[in-house]
């Protein structure tokens, strides 16, 4: 029996258990132990405690540093450069950013500007991957 099915079964049986008399609780516990394979005391604890809200597992690894704002700015740079690859685009990022900001084609918060300028070549490639898919471009 999976954890999810055990939780569903316990949710159904919990109401019956709380409203039952002592004799009915004994019979209900026998049934639950037979169905789930839990130890009797574990079944009692499961039925007496309130159900927990399902938790969302935390994302493994380091927290993301580059968000959608940085990806959008990288896409503007990519399009302005004629959609060249991220590895060729990387050396021109500071100069291209300065020109686009000066011509008021791009407005960035200082934090986003800093992140775009410090992004490495693989990071630029990773940020531009969804845009390349949307445009239908294939890797060479």
């Amino acid at each position: 029996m999976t954890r999810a099915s055990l939780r569903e079964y316990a949710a159904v049986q919990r109401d019956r258990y709380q409203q039952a008399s002592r004799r009915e609780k004994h019979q209900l516990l026998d049934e639950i132990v037979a169905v789930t394979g839990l130890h009797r005391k574990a079944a009692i604890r499961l039925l007496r405690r309130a159900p927990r809200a399902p938790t969302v597992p935390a994302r493994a690894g380091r927290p993301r540093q580059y968000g959608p704002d940085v990806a959008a700015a990288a896409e503007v740079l990519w399009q302005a450069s004629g959609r060249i690859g991220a590895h060729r685009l990387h050396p021109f990022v500071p100069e291209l950013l300065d020109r686009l900001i000066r011509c008021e084609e791009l407005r960035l918060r200082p934090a986003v500007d800093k992140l775009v300028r410090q992004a490495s070549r693989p990071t630029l490639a990773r940020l531009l991957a969804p845009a390349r898919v949307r445009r239908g471009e294939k890797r060479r």
Side-chain angles (χ1 to χ4, degrees), residues 57-75:
R59 185 178 168 274
R62 291 172 47 186
R64 290 191 178 184
Q65 188 174 7
Y66 302 95
D69 296 339
V70 179
E75 186 175 352

Side-chain angles (χ1 to χ4, degrees), residues 6 10 17 19 21 52 54 57 63 66-67 83 91 96 112 123 125 133 135:
L6 180 64
Y17 183 79
Q19 296 172 358
S21 66
R52 288 189 294 188
Y66 302 95
R83 297 184 185 152
L96 195 55
V112 174
T123 300
V133 169
R135 300 279 183 217

